[in-house]
């Protein structure tokens, strides 16, 4: 029985600790799980390792064990736990809906996609399921603890993209979700969508400066200039540099929250396109130093995908004109 495995038991303990603000009695926990005290001790050791660096801390005072840390960190850990329980790299909508007992999730997703595409956003559907997971966690947590979350990076409330996405999100939540979400939750979820899922279509006449503050845009363009000189690659195409700047801008915001986009193609990109990946590593390294952030391999692979697609397009144009 999968529910009786050590992994499932650890998941159950950690999820209980996330919900129990006042903590859990150690012996009551062992009795409820039908295991020995030493087994629970071992499980707590695994949990300490699991939450290391997440912003949460496991504290034991006598027989009382509890998690210390902010609601944002609790949600991040809960999200990571559920992803681990999912089918490897794929978050199945039905599984999310079944686990959290949220109805109409498929209708919500369809409505959100149609509304965003109707406002001329390009969508990353792989990341969308990740954001839907954040949504159902928000609904679940608001219902359980009534403690709204605050985004851990500054949201530019005057940003038109953020405001538009929040409006679209509010309509979809009111239409398909029974639990009302407070304004702070909508702010948080809109920020997630803006940085991971929905990219404005700059081909419609929108300007990159509408979405990325001038100082950051200048820093990103300087990085691309250095990369161009270092690797003798032409980054002068304005449309490409704008799209990549928008991607890097969103990446910086994701990195500030330390919740990165997973990329199922990372290993194949590293092995099949080593030079393009090396160029992406250079861009990521420069970005890390200037913005004081950390960028993981999955995000570097996304940078490589942007660069590789542009180089391929450039080669095709040259072939047609020579």
């Amino acid at each position: 029985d999968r529910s009786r495995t050590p992994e499932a038991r650890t998941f159950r303990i950690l999820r209980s600790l996330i919900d129990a603000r006042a903590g859990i009695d150690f012996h009551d926990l062992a009795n409820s799980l039908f295991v020995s005290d030493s087994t629970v001790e071992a499980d707590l050791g695994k949990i300490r390792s699991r939450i290391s660096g997440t912003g949460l801390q496991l504290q034991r005072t006598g027989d009382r064990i509890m998690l210390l840390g902010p609601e944002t960190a609790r949600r991040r850990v809960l999200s990571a736990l559920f992803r681990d329980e999912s089918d490897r790299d794929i978050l199945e909508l039905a599984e999310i809906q079944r686990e959290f007992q949220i109805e109409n999730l498929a209708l919500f997703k369809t409505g959100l996609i149609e509304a965003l595409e109707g406002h001329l956003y390009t969508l990353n559907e792989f990341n969308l399921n990740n954001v839907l997971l954040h949504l159902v966690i928000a609904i679940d947590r608001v219902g359980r603890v009534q403690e709204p979350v605050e985004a851990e990076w500054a949201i530019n409330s005057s940003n038109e993209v953020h405001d538009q996405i929040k409006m679209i999100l509010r309509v979809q939540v009111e239409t398909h979700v029974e639990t009302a979400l407070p304004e702070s939750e909508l702010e948080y979820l809109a920020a997630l969508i803006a940085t991971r899922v929905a990219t404005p279509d700059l081909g419609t006449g929108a300007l990159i400066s509408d979405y990325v503050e001038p100082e950051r845009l200048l820093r990103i363009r300087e990085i691309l200039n250095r990369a161009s000189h270092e690797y003798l690659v032409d980054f002068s195409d304005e449309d490409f540099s704008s799209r990549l700047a928008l991607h890097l801008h969103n990446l910086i915001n994701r990195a500030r929250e330390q919740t990165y986009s997973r990329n199922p193609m990372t290993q194949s990109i590293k092995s099949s396109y080593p030079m393009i990946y090396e160029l992406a590593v250079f861009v990521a390294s420069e970005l890390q130093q200037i913005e004081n952030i950390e960028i993981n391999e999955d995000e570097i692979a996304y940078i490589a995908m942007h660069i590789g697609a542009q180089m391929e397009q450039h080669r095709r144009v040259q072939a047609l004109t020579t």
Side-chain angles (χ1 to χ4, degrees):
D1 181 359
R2 184 168 175 265
S3 66
R4 301 291 293 274
T5 66
E7 292 79 10
R9 189 176 60 245
T10 304
F11 174 96
R12 180 177 167 185
I13 293 172
L14 185 47
R15 181 153 190 188
S16 298
L17 286 168
I18 288 171
D19 290 340
R21 288 287 181 164
I24 300 173
D25 181 84
F26 178 88
H27 299 294
D28 288 347
L29 179 61
N31 291 335
S32 68
L33 294 170
F34 304 103
V35 295
S36 66
D37 288 358
S38 60
T39 298
V40 175
E41 291 280 11
D43 289 340
L44 293 178
K46 294 175 186 175
I47 288 172
R48 284 191 179 89
S49 298
R50 179 63 190 265
I51 64 175
S52 176
T54 65
L56 294 181
Q57 183 180 352
L58 187 64
Q59 182 187 72
R60 181 171 177 180
T61 307
D63 288 336
R64 177 68 44 177
I65 50 177
M66 66 175 62
L67 282 181
L68 304 179
E71 173 67 13
T72 46
R74 291 169 189 267
R75 293 190 187 191
R76 271 205 304 272
V77 169
L78 188 56
S79 176
L81 281 174
F82 185 70
R83 282 200 298 268
D84 286 353
E85 288 285 290
S86 300
D87 293 334
R88 295 297 177 185
D89 290 323
I90 301 174
L91 279 170
E92 294 291 346
L93 198 65
E95 191 172 350
I96 296 174
Q97 186 165 299
R98 183 170 58 251
E99 171 73 15
F100 289 92
Q101 299 178 339
I102 303 292
E103 295 183 1
N104 297 331
L105 193 57
L107 290 174
F108 176 90
K109 179 181 179 180
T110 301
L112 185 62
I113 289 173
E114 290 177 352
L116 289 169
E117 289 183 338
H119 285 82
L120 301 177
Y121 287 94
T122 301
L123 303 185
N124 180 329
E125 280 211 50
F126 180 81
N127 286 343
L128 179 57
N129 274 5
N130 267 296
V131 172
L132 288 176
L133 177 56
H134 281 271
L135 170 74
V136 296
I137 288 174
I139 294 168
D140 183 66
R141 300 294 292 166
V142 166
R144 287 173 185 267
V145 299
Q146 284 81 46
E147 183 175 341
V149 71
E150 299 293 338
E152 293 181 315
W153 70 92
I155 296 172
N156 182 0
S157 59
S158 64
N159 185 297
E160 289 184 17
V161 171
H162 177 80
D163 290 345
Q164 190 174 66
I165 290 175
K166 187 172 70 170
M167 177 196 71
I168 291 170
L169 188 61
R170 179 184 285 112
V171 170
Q172 296 305 315
V173 168
E174 289 175 352
T175 303
H176 299 296
V177 179
E178 293 182 3
T179 303
L181 292 179
E183 190 72 9
S184 61
E185 298 286 352
L186 291 173
E187 289 275 357
Y188 178 69
L189 291 166
L192 293 180
I193 292 173
T195 56
R196 299 182 200 178
V197 175
T199 304
D201 185 353
L202 297 177
T204 61
L207 300 174
I208 182 66
S209 56
D210 293 338
Y211 309 112
V212 185
E213 53 268 29
E215 296 82 5
R216 177 174 286 179
L217 184 57
L218 180 62
R219 292 195 296 271
I220 289 173
R221 291 204 190 282
E222 287 174 347
I223 290 173
L224 295 181
N225 283 336
R226 287 196 290 275
S228 180
H229 286 109
E230 187 78 18
Y231 287 87
L232 304 178
V233 174
D234 184 7
F235 283 152
S236 61
D237 182 275
E238 187 71 22
D239 287 341
F240 165 69
S241 62
S242 293
R243 287 194 303 273
L244 183 56
L246 188 57
H247 174 78
L248 295 177
H249 165 72
N250 288 340
L251 166 55
I252 292 166
N253 289 338
R254 287 195 296 273
R256 297 232 185 281
E257 194 208 12
Q258 294 186 350
T259 308
Y260 302 95
S261 293
R262 291 190 301 158
N263 190 334
M265 297 178 65
T266 296
Q267 294 307 315
S268 63
I269 289 170
K270 288 177 69 176
S271 59
S272 301
Y273 307 98
M275 290 304 296
I276 293 176
Y277 186 81
E278 183 183 325
L279 174 51
V281 169
F282 177 88
V283 172
S285 177
E286 294 276 304
L287 202 62
Q288 285 183 139
Q289 292 180 30
I290 290 174
E291 297 288 343
N292 193 28
I293 56 175
E294 292 185 12
I295 300 176
N296 67 9
E297 287 191 340
D298 282 0
E299 292 284 9
I300 293 173
Y302 274 121
I303 297 173
M305 290 168 70
H306 275 267
I307 295 171
Q310 171 61 18
M311 292 173 69
E312 178 63 26
Q313 183 178 350
H314 185 67
R315 278 195 297 272
R316 288 175 181 169
V317 170
Q318 283 190 322
L320 290 172
T321 56
T322 56

